[in-house]
Amino acid sequence: MPNCHCFWSHIWNISGGVGEMGANMNSIIEEERVRGGVFKDINPEDEDQQPTVIESLCMNCYENGSTRLLFTKIPFFKEIIISSFTCPHCNWTNTEIQSAGRIQEQGVLYTLQVKTKEDMNREVVKSDSASTRIPQLDFEIPAFTQKGSLSTIEGLLDRAVAGLEQDQPIRKATDPAVAEKIEEFIERLKKLKKVEEEFTLIIDDPSGNSFIENPSAPQKDTALTVTHYKRTPEHNAVLGIEEEEDDRKPVNDLDTMRNEVLVFNTNCPECNAPANTNMKLVQIPHFKEVIIMATNCDSCRHRTNEVKSGGATEELGTRITLHLTDPSDMSRDLLKSETCSVLIPELEFELGMAALGGKFTTLEGLLKDIKDLIVSKNPFMCGDSSTADRAGKLELFGQKIDKIIAGEMDVHVILDDPAGNSYLQNVYAPDPDPEMKIEKYTRTFEQNEDLGLNDMKTEGYAEK
């Protein structure tokens, strides 16, 4: 790590610790900003880079002492505030480190495999909200039980030993059995300091402001694992972070999706330029929910729309037959899934599944799309592939479609969907439609094969 040794030696030239400062930290930071920058890189040769000294109250003897503040950056980490307090009256000292940045977007979990004595010299920044664990000893220092500290792995163990030894004289007098067990535990901690056996050190900080040094930085450290994770609501409550909207529903909540149009980036299928696709969840009355997707390209003006069923494949297939008796039938809403075929017996016409994709339109819109597909966009209607006989037949077919749309032909339109996910509006709903017939049927093996259902196992798939 570049300048690492100079950095840490410079920090530890700040003697003592932190007292009750009684000063506004914001005003100090503002003062440092006026002096030419709040957080500076460590440079031992820079004479202007000196800690800020303020008078503060000693919480041991209640006389005035001095607190030194150093605003600095840790290489490969972030900005921190080093605080040290010294009381000349009672010689009490205290140290503390605070993160100068905001709470991070994610929590962080450090897992270090301590194998050598060199690992004990790794520098550690431990914030107030971090918990420390050693699984081999079933030992844990909970969050917010210690002030933030700037130390080493060895220093963390020394601090734990000092905390356990603090009340040992009283325990030996009042509860010798407990004192003996704690003494045994202290000896185990001291053995870990000598690295007589390998152990694991885990620092879990939901605020994301703790740090363990990587001596090999910027290369990867094989002994250190760093994991970032999303905080839970419990973590946010402990850190005092308020949700933006406490009663906000999850993004994937169906009620939210019904009221929102989701937009995601894609490429235009025609010119490959960046475009946006809008997606909306729509409830069709007397049917089910469907997903409508529309793509608009600003570069070539190409537009596409697609409809997918929001439900599962039905147990039975559906065949819908509508007898067209009035031009108003053209305004009926229609949902044609990708698995639906369209038949017009009077024209001896059948459109196979997936030919037009999924569509949510009207009956008139479906017939116009069929005409465009067969007549206007047919590659055999132009160039060397075109023949007079074929072109005449297709032109006649287009004229018949126009007559159906105008209500001049009495025909039947059949929607046959083996998946059962297609729909045609019943204008008499909830009463039966005298001109429309809906049949449910059992799919054949070939239809299940086309839908990929024969090889699909949804129950007992874990059994051997």
Side-chain angles (χ1 to χ4, degrees), residues 268-344:
C268 174
E270 290 292 327
C271 66
N272 204 37
N276 291 330
T277 295
N278 299 330
M279 183 173 68
K280 181 74 164 62
L281 185 64
V282 177
Q283 174 68 49
I284 298 180
H286 309 290
F287 187 52
K288 60 175 67 174
E289 289 179 329
V290 296
I291 300 173
I292 300 178
M293 305 173 68
T295 302
N296 297 326
C297 179
D298 295 333
S299 299
C300 66
R301 303 300 177 184
H302 177 73
R303 295 184 179 183
T304 62
N305 64 77
E306 186 177 359
V307 176
K308 294 185 178 294
S309 172
T313 300
E314 300 292 330
E315 294 184 2
L316 299 174
T318 301
R319 183 181 294 108
I320 305 173
T321 303
L322 176 65
H323 184 203
L324 301 181
T325 59
D326 191 272
S328 63
D329 288 331
M330 292 295 105
S331 61
R332 289 177 184 249
D333 290 332
L334 178 146
L335 171 65
K336 176 193 172 299
S337 73
E338 294 179 337
T339 58
C340 179
S341 58
V342 181
L343 297 88
I344 305 178

Coordinates of all heavy atoms in Angstrom, one line a residue, residues 268-344:
C268 N -34.1 -1.0 -30.7 CA -35.1 -1.1 -31.7 C -34.8 -2.4 -32.5 O -33.7 -2.6 -33.0 CB -35.1 0.1 -32.6 SG -36.2 0.0 -34.0
P269 N -35.9 -3.2 -32.8 CA -35.7 -4.4 -33.6 C -35.4 -4.1 -35.1 O -35.0 -5.0 -35.8 CB -37.0 -5.1 -33.4 CG -38.0 -4.1 -33.0 CD -37.2 -3.1 -32.2
E270 N -35.7 -2.8 -35.5 CA -35.5 -2.5 -36.9 C -34.1 -1.9 -37.1 O -33.4 -2.3 -38.0 CB -36.6 -1.5 -37.3 CG -38.0 -2.1 -37.4 CD -38.0 -3.2 -38.6 OE1 -37.4 -3.0 -39.6 OE2 -38.8 -4.1 -38.4
C271 N -33.8 -0.8 -36.4 CA -32.5 -0.1 -36.6 C -31.5 -0.3 -35.5 O -30.4 0.3 -35.6 CB -32.8 1.4 -36.8 SG -33.4 2.2 -35.3
N272 N -31.8 -1.0 -34.5 CA -30.9 -1.3 -33.3 C -30.5 -0.1 -32.5 O -29.6 -0.1 -31.8 CB -29.7 -2.0 -33.8 CG -29.0 -2.9 -32.7 OD1 -29.8 -3.5 -31.9 ND2 -27.7 -2.9 -32.7
A273 N -31.2 1.0 -32.7 CA -30.9 2.2 -31.9 C -31.5 2.1 -30.5 O -32.5 1.3 -30.3 CB -31.5 3.5 -32.6
P274 N -31.0 2.8 -29.5 CA -31.6 2.7 -28.2 C -33.0 3.2 -28.2 O -33.3 4.2 -28.8 CB -30.6 3.6 -27.3 CG -29.4 3.7 -28.1 CD -29.7 3.6 -29.6
A275 N -33.8 2.4 -27.5 CA -35.3 2.8 -27.4 C -35.8 2.4 -26.0 O -35.1 1.8 -25.2 CB -36.1 2.1 -28.5
N276 N -37.0 2.8 -25.7 CA -37.7 2.5 -24.5 C -38.9 1.6 -24.7 O -39.6 1.8 -25.7 CB -38.1 3.7 -23.8 CG -37.0 4.6 -23.3 OD1 -35.9 4.1 -22.9 ND2 -37.2 5.9 -23.2
T277 N -39.0 0.6 -23.8 CA -40.2 -0.3 -23.8 C -41.0 0.0 -22.6 O -40.5 0.0 -21.5 CB -39.8 -1.8 -23.9 OG1 -39.1 -2.0 -25.1 CG2 -41.0 -2.7 -23.8
N278 N -42.3 0.3 -22.8 CA -43.3 0.5 -21.8 C -44.0 -0.8 -21.5 O -44.4 -1.5 -22.4 CB -44.3 1.6 -22.1 CG -43.5 3.0 -22.4 OD1 -42.5 3.2 -21.8 ND2 -44.1 3.8 -23.2
M279 N -44.2 -1.0 -20.2 CA -44.9 -2.3 -19.8 C -46.0 -1.9 -18.8 O -45.7 -1.2 -17.8 CB -43.9 -3.3 -19.2 CG -44.5 -4.6 -18.8 SD -43.3 -5.8 -18.3 CE -42.7 -5.1 -16.8
K280 N -47.1 -2.5 -18.9 CA -48.3 -2.2 -18.0 C -49.1 -3.4 -17.8 O -49.3 -4.2 -18.7 CB -49.2 -1.1 -18.7 CG -50.4 -0.7 -17.9 CD -50.0 0.2 -16.8 CE -51.2 1.0 -16.1 NZ -52.2 0.1 -15.5
L281 N -49.4 -3.6 -16.5 CA -50.3 -4.7 -16.1 C -51.7 -4.3 -16.2 O -52.1 -3.3 -15.5 CB -49.9 -5.2 -14.7 CG -50.6 -6.4 -14.2 CD1 -50.2 -7.7 -15.0 CD2 -50.2 -6.7 -12.7
V282 N -52.5 -5.0 -16.9 CA -53.9 -4.6 -17.2 C -54.9 -5.7 -16.8 O -54.6 -6.9 -17.1 CB -54.2 -4.2 -18.6 CG1 -55.6 -3.8 -18.9 CG2 -53.3 -3.0 -19.0
Q283 N -55.9 -5.4 -16.1 CA -57.0 -6.4 -15.7 C -58.1 -6.3 -16.8 O -58.7 -5.3 -16.9 CB -57.5 -6.1 -14.3 CG -58.7 -7.0 -13.9 CD -58.3 -8.4 -13.7 OE1 -57.4 -8.7 -13.1 NE2 -59.1 -9.3 -14.4
I284 N -58.3 -7.4 -17.5 CA -59.4 -7.5 -18.5 C -60.7 -7.9 -17.8 O -60.7 -9.0 -17.1 CB -59.0 -8.4 -19.6 CG1 -57.8 -7.9 -20.4 CG2 -60.2 -8.5 -20.6 CD1 -57.3 -8.8 -21.5
P285 N -61.7 -7.1 -17.8 CA -63.0 -7.5 -17.1 C -63.5 -8.9 -17.6 O -63.4 -9.2 -18.8 CB -64.0 -6.4 -17.6 CG -63.1 -5.3 -17.9 CD -61.9 -5.8 -18.5
H286 N -63.9 -9.6 -16.6 CA -64.5 -11.0 -16.8 C -63.4 -11.9 -17.4 O -63.8 -12.9 -18.0 CB -65.7 -10.9 -17.7 CG -66.7 -9.9 -17.3 ND1 -67.5 -10.1 -16.1 CD2 -67.1 -8.7 -17.8 CE1 -68.3 -9.1 -16.0 NE2 -68.1 -8.2 -17.0
F287 N -62.1 -11.6 -17.3 CA -61.1 -12.5 -17.8 C -60.0 -12.6 -16.8 O -60.1 -13.2 -15.8 CB -60.6 -12.0 -19.2 CG -59.7 -13.0 -19.9 CD1 -60.1 -14.3 -20.1 CD2 -58.5 -12.6 -20.4 CE1 -59.2 -15.2 -20.7 CE2 -57.7 -13.5 -21.1 CZ -58.0 -14.8 -21.2
K288 N -58.8 -12.1 -17.1 CA -57.7 -12.2 -16.2 C -56.7 -11.0 -16.5 O -57.0 -10.1 -17.3 CB -56.9 -13.5 -16.5 CG -56.4 -13.7 -17.9 CD -55.6 -14.9 -18.0 CE -56.4 -16.2 -17.9 NZ -55.7 -17.4 -18.1
E289 N -55.6 -11.0 -15.8 CA -54.6 -9.9 -16.0 C -53.7 -10.3 -17.2 O -53.3 -11.4 -17.4 CB -53.8 -9.7 -14.7 CG -54.6 -9.1 -13.6 CD -53.8 -8.9 -12.4 OE1 -52.9 -9.7 -12.1 OE2 -54.0 -8.0 -11.6
V290 N -53.3 -9.3 -17.9 CA -52.4 -9.4 -19.0 C -51.3 -8.3 -18.9 O -51.5 -7.3 -18.2 CB -53.1 -9.3 -20.4 CG1 -54.0 -10.4 -20.6 CG2 -53.7 -8.0 -20.6
I291 N -50.2 -8.6 -19.5 CA -49.1 -7.6 -19.6 C -48.9 -7.1 -21.0 O -48.7 -7.8 -21.9 CB -47.7 -8.3 -19.1 CG1 -47.9 -8.9 -17.7 CG2 -46.6 -7.3 -19.2 CD1 -46.7 -9.7 -17.3
I292 N -49.1 -5.8 -21.1 CA -49.0 -5.1 -22.4 C -47.7 -4.4 -22.5 O -47.3 -3.7 -21.6 CB -50.1 -4.1 -22.6 CG1 -51.5 -4.8 -22.5 CG2 -50.0 -3.3 -23.9 CD1 -52.7 -3.8 -22.6
M293 N -46.9 -4.7 -23.6 CA -45.6 -4.1 -23.8 C -45.6 -3.4 -25.1 O -46.1 -3.9 -26.1 CB -44.5 -5.2 -23.8 CG -44.5 -6.1 -22.5 SD -43.4 -7.5 -22.6 CE -41.9 -6.6 -22.5
A294 N -45.1 -2.2 -25.1 CA -45.0 -1.3 -26.3 C -43.7 -0.7 -26.5 O -43.1 -0.2 -25.5 CB -46.1 -0.3 -26.3
T295 N -43.1 -0.8 -27.7 CA -41.8 -0.2 -27.9 C -41.9 0.9 -29.0 O -42.5 0.6 -30.1 CB -40.8 -1.3 -28.4 OG1 -40.7 -2.3 -27.4 CG2 -39.4 -0.6 -28.6
N296 N -41.4 2.1 -28.7 CA -41.4 3.2 -29.7 C -39.9 3.6 -30.0 O -39.2 3.9 -29.0 CB -42.2 4.4 -29.2 CG -43.7 4.0 -29.0 OD1 -44.2 3.2 -29.7 ND2 -44.3 4.6 -28.0
C297 N -39.6 3.7 -31.2 CA -38.2 4.1 -31.6 C -38.2 5.5 -32.1 O -38.9 5.8 -33.1 CB -37.6 3.1 -32.6 SG -35.9 3.6 -33.1
D298 N -37.5 6.4 -31.5 CA -37.5 7.8 -31.9 C -36.6 8.0 -33.2 O -36.7 9.0 -33.9 CB -36.9 8.7 -30.8 CG -37.9 8.8 -29.6 OD1 -39.1 8.6 -29.8 OD2 -37.4 9.0 -28.5
S299 N -35.7 7.0 -33.5 CA -34.8 7.1 -34.6 C -35.5 6.8 -35.9 O -35.5 7.6 -36.9 CB -33.6 6.3 -34.4 OG -32.9 6.6 -33.2
C300 N -36.2 5.6 -36.0 CA -36.8 5.2 -37.2 C -38.3 5.2 -37.2 O -38.9 4.8 -38.1 CB -36.3 3.8 -37.6 SG -36.8 2.5 -36.5
R301 N -38.9 5.6 -36.0 CA -40.3 5.7 -35.8 C -41.0 4.3 -35.8 O -42.2 4.2 -36.0 CB -41.0 6.6 -36.9 CG -40.4 8.0 -36.9 CD -40.6 8.7 -35.6 NE -40.0 10.0 -35.6 CZ -40.0 10.9 -34.6 NH1 -40.5 10.4 -33.4 NH2 -39.4 12.0 -34.6
H302 N -40.2 3.3 -35.7 CA -40.8 1.9 -35.6 C -41.5 1.7 -34.3 O -41.1 2.1 -33.2 CB -39.7 0.9 -35.8 CG -40.2 -0.5 -35.7 ND1 -41.0 -1.1 -36.7 CD2 -40.1 -1.4 -34.7 CE1 -41.3 -2.4 -36.3 NE2 -40.8 -2.6 -35.1
R303 N -42.7 1.1 -34.4 CA -43.5 0.8 -33.2 C -43.9 -0.6 -33.2 O -44.3 -1.2 -34.2 CB -44.8 1.7 -33.2 CG -44.5 3.2 -33.1 CD -45.7 4.0 -32.9 NE -45.5 5.4 -32.8 CZ -46.4 6.4 -32.6 NH1 -47.7 6.0 -32.6 NH2 -46.1 7.6 -32.5
T304 N -43.8 -1.2 -32.0 CA -44.3 -2.6 -31.8 C -45.1 -2.7 -30.5 O -44.8 -1.9 -29.6 CB -43.1 -3.6 -31.8 OG1 -42.3 -3.3 -30.7 CG2 -42.3 -3.5 -33.1
N305 N -46.0 -3.6 -30.5 CA -46.7 -3.9 -29.2 C -46.9 -5.4 -29.1 O -47.0 -6.1 -30.1 CB -48.0 -3.2 -29.1 CG -49.0 -3.6 -30.2 OD1 -49.6 -4.7 -30.1 ND2 -49.2 -2.8 -31.3
E306 N -46.9 -5.8 -27.9 CA -47.0 -7.2 -27.6 C -47.7 -7.4 -26.3 O -47.7 -6.6 -25.4 CB -45.6 -7.8 -27.5 CG -45.5 -9.3 -27.3 CD -44.1 -9.9 -27.2 OE1 -43.2 -9.1 -27.3 OE2 -43.9 -11.1 -27.1
V307 N -48.5 -8.5 -26.3 CA -49.3 -8.8 -25.1 C -48.9 -10.2 -24.6 O -48.9 -11.2 -25.4 CB -50.8 -8.8 -25.4 CG1 -51.6 -9.2 -24.2 CG2 -51.2 -7.3 -25.8
K308 N -48.7 -10.4 -23.3 CA -48.4 -11.7 -22.7 C -49.4 -11.9 -21.6 O -49.8 -11.0 -20.9 CB -47.0 -11.7 -22.2 CG -46.0 -11.7 -23.3 CD -44.6 -11.9 -22.7 CE -43.5 -11.8 -23.8 NZ -43.7 -13.0 -24.7
S309 N -49.8 -13.1 -21.4 CA -50.7 -13.5 -20.3 C -50.1 -13.3 -19.0 O -48.9 -13.7 -18.8 CB -51.2 -14.9 -20.5 OG -52.0 -15.3 -19.4
G310 N -50.8 -12.8 -18.0 CA -50.2 -12.6 -16.7 C -50.5 -13.8 -15.8 O -50.0 -13.9 -14.7
G311 N -51.1 -14.9 -16.4 CA -51.4 -16.1 -15.6 C -50.7 -17.3 -16.2 O -50.0 -17.2 -17.2
A312 N -51.0 -18.4 -15.6 CA -50.4 -19.7 -16.0 C -51.3 -20.3 -17.2 O -52.3 -19.8 -17.5 CB -50.4 -20.6 -14.9
T313 N -50.7 -21.3 -17.8 CA -51.4 -22.1 -18.8 C -52.6 -22.7 -18.2 O -52.5 -23.4 -17.1 CB -50.5 -23.1 -19.5 OG1 -49.4 -22.4 -20.0 CG2 -51.3 -23.9 -20.5
E314 N -53.8 -22.6 -18.8 CA -55.0 -23.1 -18.2 C -55.0 -24.7 -18.4 O -54.3 -25.2 -19.2 CB -56.3 -22.6 -18.9 CG -56.4 -21.0 -18.7 CD -56.7 -20.6 -17.3 OE1 -57.3 -21.4 -16.6 OE2 -56.3 -19.5 -16.9
E315 N -55.8 -25.3 -17.5 CA -55.9 -26.8 -17.6 C -56.6 -27.2 -18.9 O -56.3 -28.3 -19.4 CB -56.7 -27.3 -16.4 CG -56.0 -27.1 -15.0 CD -56.8 -27.7 -13.9 OE1 -57.9 -28.3 -14.2 OE2 -56.4 -27.6 -12.7
L316 N -57.5 -26.4 -19.4 CA -58.2 -26.8 -20.7 C -57.9 -25.7 -21.7 O -57.7 -24.5 -21.4 CB -59.7 -26.9 -20.4 CG -60.1 -28.0 -19.4 CD1 -61.6 -27.9 -19.2 CD2 -59.7 -29.4 -19.9
G317 N -58.0 -26.1 -23.0 CA -57.9 -25.2 -24.1 C -59.2 -24.4 -24.3 O -60.3 -24.9 -23.7
T318 N -59.2 -23.3 -25.0 CA -60.4 -22.5 -25.2 C -60.6 -22.3 -26.7 O -59.7 -21.9 -27.4 CB -60.3 -21.2 -24.5 OG1 -60.1 -21.4 -23.1 CG2 -61.6 -20.4 -24.7
R319 N -61.8 -22.5 -27.2 CA -62.2 -22.2 -28.6 C -63.4 -21.2 -28.5 O -64.5 -21.5 -28.0 CB -62.6 -23.4 -29.3 CG -62.9 -23.2 -30.8 CD -63.2 -24.4 -31.6 NE -62.1 -25.4 -31.6 CZ -62.0 -26.5 -30.9 NH1 -63.0 -26.8 -30.1 NH2 -61.0 -27.3 -31.1
I320 N -63.2 -20.0 -29.1 CA -64.2 -19.0 -29.1 C -64.7 -18.7 -30.5 O -63.9 -18.5 -31.4 CB -63.6 -17.6 -28.5 CG1 -63.1 -17.8 -27.1 CG2 -64.7 -16.6 -28.5 CD1 -62.3 -16.6 -26.5
T321 N -66.0 -18.9 -30.7 CA -66.5 -18.7 -32.1 C -67.5 -17.6 -32.0 O -68.5 -17.6 -31.2 CB -67.3 -20.0 -32.5 OG1 -66.4 -21.1 -32.5 CG2 -67.8 -19.8 -33.9
L322 N -67.3 -16.6 -32.9 CA -68.2 -15.4 -32.9 C -68.8 -15.3 -34.3 O -68.1 -15.3 -35.3 CB -67.4 -14.1 -32.6 CG -68.2 -12.8 -32.8 CD1 -69.3 -12.7 -31.7 CD2 -67.3 -11.6 -32.7
H323 N -70.1 -15.2 -34.3 CA -70.9 -15.0 -35.6 C -71.0 -13.5 -35.8 O -71.7 -12.8 -35.0 CB -72.2 -15.7 -35.5 CG -73.0 -15.6 -36.8 ND1 -74.4 -15.7 -36.9 CD2 -72.6 -15.4 -38.1 CE1 -74.8 -15.6 -38.1 NE2 -73.7 -15.4 -38.9
L324 N -70.4 -13.0 -36.9 CA -70.5 -11.5 -37.1 C -71.8 -11.2 -37.8 O -72.0 -11.6 -38.9 CB -69.3 -11.1 -38.0 CG -67.9 -11.4 -37.5 CD1 -66.8 -10.9 -38.4 CD2 -67.7 -10.8 -36.1
T325 N -72.6 -10.4 -37.1 CA -73.9 -10.1 -37.6 C -74.1 -8.6 -37.7 O -75.2 -8.1 -38.3 CB -75.0 -10.7 -36.7 OG1 -74.9 -10.2 -35.4 CG2 -75.0 -12.2 -36.7
D326 N -73.2 -7.8 -37.2 CA -73.4 -6.3 -37.2 C -72.0 -5.6 -37.2 O -71.1 -6.2 -36.6 CB -74.2 -5.9 -35.9 CG -74.6 -4.5 -35.9 OD1 -73.8 -3.6 -35.5 OD2 -75.8 -4.2 -36.4
P327 N -71.9 -4.5 -37.9 CA -70.7 -3.8 -38.0 C -70.1 -3.4 -36.6 O -68.9 -3.2 -36.4 CB -71.0 -2.6 -38.8 CG -72.1 -3.0 -39.7 CD -73.0 -3.9 -38.8
S328 N -71.0 -3.3 -35.6 CA -70.5 -2.9 -34.2 C -69.7 -4.0 -33.6 O -68.9 -3.8 -32.7 CB -71.8 -2.6 -33.3 OG -72.6 -3.8 -33.2
D329 N -69.7 -5.3 -34.2 CA -68.9 -6.3 -33.7 C -67.4 -6.0 -33.9 O -66.6 -6.6 -33.2 CB -69.2 -7.7 -34.4 CG -70.6 -8.2 -33.9 OD1 -71.0 -7.9 -32.8 OD2 -71.2 -8.9 -34.7
M330 N -67.1 -5.1 -34.8 CA -65.7 -4.8 -35.1 C -65.0 -4.1 -33.9 O -63.8 -4.1 -33.8 CB -65.6 -3.9 -36.3 CG -66.0 -4.6 -37.6 SD -64.8 -5.9 -38.1 CE -65.9 -7.3 -37.7
S331 N -65.9 -3.5 -33.0 CA -65.3 -2.8 -31.9 C -65.1 -3.6 -30.6 O -64.7 -3.1 -29.6 CB -66.2 -1.6 -31.5 OG -67.5 -2.0 -31.1
R332 N -65.4 -4.9 -30.7 CA -65.2 -5.8 -29.6 C -63.7 -5.9 -29.2 O -62.9 -6.1 -30.1 CB -65.7 -7.2 -29.9 CG -67.2 -7.3 -29.9 CD -67.6 -8.7 -30.3 NE -69.0 -8.9 -30.5 CZ -69.8 -9.6 -29.7 NH1 -69.3 -10.2 -28.6 NH2 -71.1 -9.8 -29.9
D333 N -63.4 -5.8 -27.9 CA -62.0 -6.0 -27.5 C -61.6 -7.4 -27.7 O -62.4 -8.3 -27.5 CB -61.9 -5.6 -26.0 CG -62.0 -4.1 -25.8 OD1 -61.6 -3.3 -26.7 OD2 -62.4 -3.7 -24.7
L334 N -60.3 -7.6 -28.0 CA -59.9 -9.0 -28.3 C -58.5 -9.1 -27.8 O -57.6 -8.2 -28.0 CB -59.9 -9.2 -29.8 CG -59.4 -10.5 -30.4 CD1 -60.2 -10.9 -31.6 CD2 -58.0 -10.4 -30.8
L335 N -58.2 -10.2 -27.1 CA -56.9 -10.6 -26.7 C -56.5 -11.9 -27.4 O -57.1 -12.9 -27.2 CB -56.8 -10.8 -25.2 CG -55.5 -11.4 -24.6 CD1 -54.3 -10.4 -24.9 CD2 -55.6 -11.7 -23.2
K336 N -55.5 -11.8 -28.2 CA -54.9 -13.0 -28.9 C -53.6 -13.3 -28.3 O -52.6 -12.5 -28.5 CB -54.8 -12.7 -30.4 CG -54.2 -13.9 -31.2 CD -53.8 -13.5 -32.6 CE -53.0 -14.6 -33.3 NZ -51.8 -14.9 -32.6
S337 N -53.4 -14.4 -27.7 CA -52.1 -14.8 -27.1 C -51.2 -15.4 -28.2 O -51.7 -15.6 -29.3 CB -52.3 -15.8 -26.0 OG -52.6 -17.1 -26.5
E338 N -50.0 -15.6 -27.9 CA -49.0 -16.1 -28.9 C -49.4 -17.5 -29.3 O -49.0 -18.0 -30.4 CB -47.6 -16.1 -28.3 CG -47.1 -14.7 -28.1 CD -45.7 -14.8 -27.5 OE1 -45.3 -15.8 -26.8 OE2 -44.9 -13.8 -27.6
T339 N -50.2 -18.2 -28.5 CA -50.5 -19.6 -28.8 C -51.8 -19.8 -29.5 O -52.3 -20.9 -29.7 CB -50.5 -20.4 -27.4 OG1 -51.5 -19.9 -26.5 CG2 -49.1 -20.5 -26.8
C340 N -52.5 -18.7 -29.8 CA -53.8 -18.7 -30.4 C -53.8 -18.7 -31.9 O -53.0 -17.9 -32.5 CB -54.6 -17.5 -29.9 SG -56.3 -17.4 -30.5
S341 N -54.6 -19.5 -32.5 CA -54.7 -19.5 -34.0 C -56.1 -18.9 -34.3 O -57.0 -19.0 -33.5 CB -54.6 -20.9 -34.6 OG -55.6 -21.8 -34.0
V342 N -56.2 -18.3 -35.5 CA -57.4 -17.6 -36.0 C -57.9 -18.3 -37.2 O -57.2 -18.6 -38.2 CB -57.1 -16.2 -36.3 CG1 -58.4 -15.4 -36.7 CG2 -56.5 -15.5 -35.1
L343 N -59.2 -18.7 -37.2 CA -59.8 -19.3 -38.4 C -61.1 -18.5 -38.8 O -61.8 -18.0 -38.0 CB -60.3 -20.8 -38.0 CG -59.2 -21.8 -37.6 CD1 -58.9 -21.7 -36.1 CD2 -59.6 -23.2 -37.9
I344 N -61.2 -18.4 -40.2 CA -62.4 -17.9 -40.8 C -62.9 -18.9 -41.8 O -62.4 -19.0 -42.9 CB -62.1 -16.5 -41.5 CG1 -61.5 -15.5 -40.5 CG2 -63.4 -15.9 -42.1 CD1 -61.1 -14.2 -41.1

